[in-house]
Amino acid sequence: MELLDRASFLADPVKAQENLISSEGALLLVQKPYGESSFHVVNRVRKAISIVTGIHKVKCGHAGTLDPLATGLLILATRHKTKELTNLIGLDKTYRVRMRLGVTSASFDLEQPVEITGGEQSITNE
């Protein structure tokens, strides 16, 4: 299973582009930007392939949604490679979290205004 990532594109951009637009499809590692939904990233890739190939309906999907406020690797597949996504969905994942203690919001994330509930000193084992 060959994944196309930034290093692949830099090492041999012509081969990477050929793999990306091939009728077989490709597996892609995409760094999802902050504030953008996984669906939006899929649509951007789908549209780019459609423009290059002239095919109006390009099959493209991802191996799991990332929250719009999260950044990280999004595994995408195009065309016939989308069948391989089921093999990737259940794999172990690693998460890095940066948190701020002593604050909360109505939605428990940054989508709602943050309310300060106390400093570090107000946090107990309970």
Side-chain angles (χ1 to χ4, degrees):
M1 180 180 324
E2 183 181 349
L3 289 171
L4 295 178
D5 58 8
R6 189 177 191 320
S8 301
F9 278 102
L10 293 176
D12 191 348
V14 173
K15 181 181 179 216
Q17 184 178 6
E18 288 171 357
N19 286 341
L20 185 58
I21 63 173
S22 78
S23 61
E24 180 62 27
L27 288 170
L28 309 164
L29 294 178
V30 177
Q31 182 66 31
K32 190 194 82 56
Y34 177 84
E36 201 166 296
S37 71
S38 300
F39 185 72
H40 188 240
V41 174
V42 167
N43 278 340
R44 284 190 10 211
V45 169
R46 183 182 290 131
K47 184 177 180 179
I49 294 170
S50 180
I51 289 169
V52 172
T53 62
I55 299 169
H56 295 291
K57 286 192 174 187
V58 175
K59 195 171 183 183
C60 186
H62 59 78
T65 303
L66 288 175
D67 187 276
L69 298 181
T71 61
L73 284 180
L74 187 62
I75 302 172
L76 301 183
T78 63
R79 307 186 77 181
H80 294 295
K81 292 286 185 174
T82 57
K83 294 175 184 173
E84 295 182 26
L85 287 175
T86 56
N87 299 330
L88 301 172
I89 290 173
L91 296 177
D92 289 340
K93 298 164 185 73
T94 302
Y95 297 93
R96 276 190 293 170
V97 177
R98 184 172 56 170
M99 69 172 73
R100 189 170 160 200
L101 302 175
V103 298
T104 190
S105 74
S107 60
F108 301 109
D109 60 24
L110 295 176
E111 290 186 20
Q112 299 289 319
V114 172
E115 175 186 324
I116 296 175
T117 60
E120 302 168 356
Q121 64 278 6
S122 66
I123 297 173
T124 65
N125 286 336
E126 291 82 33

